[in-house]
Amino acid sequence: MSIIEDVERGALAKEDVSEKLITSYLDTAKWEDPELLIRTSGERRLSNFLLWQISYAEVHCTDVLWPDLTKRHWLMRFLNFQKRKRRAGGRWVI
């Protein structure tokens, strides 16, 4: 079922639609949203890939192809990720 279908059949009120509700209708609802997305092969676009779920994810693009990623590549990505200040949609405080 979709949110629209549930609203149309009266199982859900339009006023009840929220970010949390939308998330619960996604196919990925049973998993946590990713915190890191690694885009391989030199691509710099996301192509509508998990746009809702990665809204607060760190995105790293690399020219290396997926099968060629080594343990060192992964380690470097994770070390870089650990250095990032995560705000999850919050604002910088100056």
Side-chain angles (χ1 to χ4, degrees), residues 42-90:
E43 290 294 338
R44 301 290 186 255
R45 59 185 167 74
L46 299 175
S47 303
N48 289 331
F49 180 72
L50 298 176
L51 292 180
W52 186 272
Q53 297 89 329
I54 64 168
S55 60
Y56 297 116
E58 299 290 328
V59 178
H60 173 78
C61 298
T62 179
D63 292 332
V64 180
L65 298 173
W66 178 259
D68 298 331
L69 287 173
T70 64
K71 288 180 183 179
R72 180 163 175 73
H73 288 114
W74 287 103
L75 179 61
M76 297 308 293
R77 297 300 76 77
F78 293 140
L79 289 174
N80 180 271
F81 176 76
Q82 288 176 335
K83 293 177 185 175
R84 303 283 300 169
K85 178 167 175 59
R86 304 297 315 277
R87 296 174 300 169

Side-chain angles (χ1 to χ4, degrees), residues 1-59:
M1 283 270 150
S2 73
I3 293 174
I4 293 172
E5 290 170 334
D6 284 347
V7 168
E8 286 176 347
R9 68 183 181 86
L12 186 64
K14 287 189 281 187
E15 299 78 28
D16 294 333
V17 176
S18 65
E19 183 176 333
K20 186 175 181 177
L21 181 78
I22 292 169
T23 299
S24 74
Y25 274 74
L26 297 175
D27 291 338
T28 58
K30 58 186 170 184
W31 300 293
E32 289 186 31
D33 290 343
E35 293 185 37
L36 174 64
L37 172 74
I38 299 175
R39 185 66 165 109
T40 60
S41 74
E43 290 294 338
R44 301 290 186 255
R45 59 185 167 74
L46 299 175
S47 303
N48 289 331
F49 180 72
L50 298 176
L51 292 180
W52 186 272
Q53 297 89 329
I54 64 168
S55 60
Y56 297 116
E58 299 290 328
V59 178

